[in-house]
Amino acid sequence: MNRVRDPFNLHNLSLNRPGTIAAINILRATATTAATEFRDRAEKAAQQAVETAAKAAEFAEQAAERTRDAVEAAAKEVERALDHTAFQSQSQSQSQADLEQGTLLPAAAPAAAEETYDEEDTEVEEEYEDPGDMASFSIPRHVPSFTDPARQAEDRLWAAATRQRAGPSAGAGGVLGGVQDKVGGFLNPDRRSLPMYKDKPYGYGPGGARPRPLLRKKRVLGLFTLVVLGLLWFTGFFDEHHERARAKLGDWGWLSSDTKARSKADWLKRRERVVEAMELSWDAYERYAWGYDEFHPVSKTGRNMAPKGLGWIIIDSLDTLMIMNLTSRVTHAREWISKSLTWDQDQDVNTFETTIRMMGGLLSAYYLSTEYPNLAPISDDDVGAPGEDLYLEKARDLADRLMSAFDTPSGIPYASVNLGKFQGLPSHADMGASSTAEATTLQLEFKYLANLTGEKDFWDRSEKVMKVIDDNQAPDGLVPIFIQPSTGHFHTQNIRLGSRGDSYYEYLIKQYLQTHKAEPIYQDMWNDALQGIRKHLVTYTENSGFTIVGERPSGLEGNLSPKMDHLVCFLPGTIALAATEGLSEREARKKPGFWNKQREADMKLARELMQTCWGMYRYMATGLAAEITYFKIPSDPLPESSSHTSPPDSIFDDPAGPDATWRKDYEVHQMDAHNLQRPETVESLFYMYRITGDVKYREWGWDMFKSFVNYTAVEDGGGFTSLSNANVIPPVIKDNMESFWMAETLKYFYLLFSPEDLLPLDKVVFNTEAHPLPVFEVGRLLKTGWERKPRTTTTTTTGETKSA
Ligand code: DMJ
């Protein structure tokens, strides 16, 4: 559905002349931008005006009260000083009586008064510290001396001037005027003769006589009516689409009401809820941290990672905006990229993160804008238009800089790059080693760029990494998580599918699919690795028999640690993708010569792991998974090949609740209970639904989505935040919105609830940051330039070889 307002019904005009269409497009884009800007500004201005007025009134009242107290205290002090001698001679009982009548201060009073003052002083300081407060309405730290003769003379002068200019009815109108009325009134009933602030005396202005109150009232009323009408129009109040209004968090009553049975659920309606979450997230970022690389939604601030910013959030979110057809927001993002983005900065960046998020985001935006011009319709290649191929040019410029990471003795890229200096930099930690996953999760992006530009170097250098890794002949295809760029050898024995290991496996099968299965070498590597995973890492939990993928921190000879990072939950979806090669399971089973026992077994493993990941969500108080979960396994872990039946899904609804047996298999340590809005589980749910067609995966996703909305939404339209502890209610919040929240998590929710023909899995591959890139045919220029060494020997994780 196109969400752009179309007051002139341009959509329905059947004009075929290209010039007219282009003109309409320009008109539409301009109108959309203007409307959005006007709407945002009007909303902001109205909100600010209301807030300012409320604050002003509040502060004015407080100010008046405190100042009156101060004046009264000062008067009492004077009185006390004058009567000091008399007080000395009075008896204690008399003093007490006077005190009760409020005519004098006891000996302890000055100290008490001082204490009170200190407290107030602190309060005032707090008010100054809070940037949200209106400093101009705070109590002045030093109350002015009202007995100063110079001040009294000034007062008389201002009072006379005010009376002259304003006349007797001055002060009757305006929001601010009202405030001053209040303040002045408290200070002195004849407030026009004693202004609150000497630099802004009441009623004194350069304009001479004030407008007549009635006329002024009419003007204010007229202006107010106009603003209200404008706001109502822009919020869609006068038409049947209440799209904008729904984006307010307060309207999300559906959280408790939409509990429809699977068969009755309206998935497109649920998908709209995801769009609203995206709008809310983006608008909050746009409002509070536009252009910054980080967004802290609770404090409503932003921060840059480079002097001029890297567009970290804008670029990472761009293709999600496109897929959701949020045209005006895409226009704004594109404008920032065109006008503000520069890679020419003296800044060290992480090679992998910058490739998957920035290069991946730009390439995907390029792909979508050229292949799906109807999604958020902005043409990227209007002939002669300024900024033609903007996304591709920016991606290309970035890639040239990132390529310097590959200038190493082995060809394994350095962990970092200085963008401005075109210089690769070894990691400061880990003795200069790079993460294995980071070195091997650049290939989809560089290969697609090579295909677009015809520049073979992008292909060759990213591909070489795969050869260097494979030449190590890691036993059973399981690679340790660090590798040295200086030697090309692994640097540790630690093997896992969590952080630093995960996307090595993901990119094996995706490289195979990216080139239309023209490179079977990567399928071969994937198959080896999956067998290795089954053999060394898969086992079952003690009580309920959940299937898990553990870690081998001391190499394959060491013990199995029953620990799963949330990151590992990418695996069920990727196994399913590999098993059907992007087809639905039904199609794959029917395809002649395709289906076999191995694919069948792989789908079973995918289903079981998906259930375990879903259990990570069910286990937590908020329904949002922890960063790391441990599992209870027998002291002698069961091999994957042992006879095993996974538990029914209904196990999670065990009426025993907190005492349910299944819960004894899960364990979350306090320090791992954070939730960073990560996408891996919903990513896998998306693949599992697309491939199996089983609606339960959508249902699980819907429950997860509701938990995110319920527990991570931030007040005051702040968007959504990560949690420091997702295992308590209310959760402990973290004040950070990760860029992958909009890039991945919300995108996968949207796709999970979308019809299957949106970005079909046999036409696109999603990079590890959820940026869709196309499957393409390799020409003669680009082809796999290496072969695997024969596996007659195995190599230990430190590089020694031994007979297999
Ligand atoms: C993202 O940057 C990518 O999905 C990456 O592969 C893993 N980490 C985050 C999300 O969790």
Side-chain angles (χ1 to χ4, degrees), residues 49-70:
V50 171
E51 279 169 10
T52 307
K55 273 189 182 160
E58 199 182 305
F59 277 103
E61 237 174 277
Q62 287 172 6
E65 212 169 306
R66 289 179 192 178
T67 315
R68 191 182 48 193
D69 288 347

Side-chain angles (χ1 to χ4, degrees), residues 754-787:
S754 287
E756 289 86 77
D757 57 357
L758 177 58
L759 302 175
L761 294 178
D762 56 348
K763 300 276 186 304
V764 300
V765 277
F766 289 86
N767 88 338
T768 194
E769 189 76 3
H771 297 305
L773 305 175
V775 168
F776 59 83
E777 306 282 343
V778 277
R780 266 176 303 145
L781 186 66
L782 305 172
K783 58 176 174 31
T784 309
W786 66 284
E787 283 178 12

Side-chain angles (χ1 to χ4, degrees), residues 277-331:
M278 181 70 189
E279 289 176 330
L280 198 57
S281 307
W282 175 265
D283 292 353
Y285 167 72
E286 204 175 42
R287 187 178 308 127
Y288 299 117
W290 180 246
Y292 285 106
D293 297 320
E294 290 174 17
F295 175 37
H296 306 294
V298 179
S299 56
K300 300 184 171 44
T301 53
R303 213 170 69 96
N304 266 339
M305 288 158 36
K308 294 176 188 165
L310 299 169
W312 207 249
I313 294 181
I314 295 175
I315 296 173
D316 219 8
S317 311
L318 180 58
D319 59 6
T320 306
L321 295 173
M322 289 174 146
I323 291 167
M324 293 183 183
N325 209 15
L326 298 173
T327 312
S328 61
R329 292 164 177 92
V330 173
T331 310

Side-chain angles (χ1 to χ4, degrees), residues 352-353 356-357 441 502-503 506 566-567 678-680 683 740 744 768-770:
F352 155 80
E353 297 288 4
I356 64 165
R357 299 187 199 210
T441 310
D502 49 4
S503 46
E506 177 189 348
H566 183 270
L567 290 166
R678 286 199 190 275
E680 291 75 20
E683 171 187 349
F740 49 69
E744 297 196 69
T768 194
E769 189 76 3

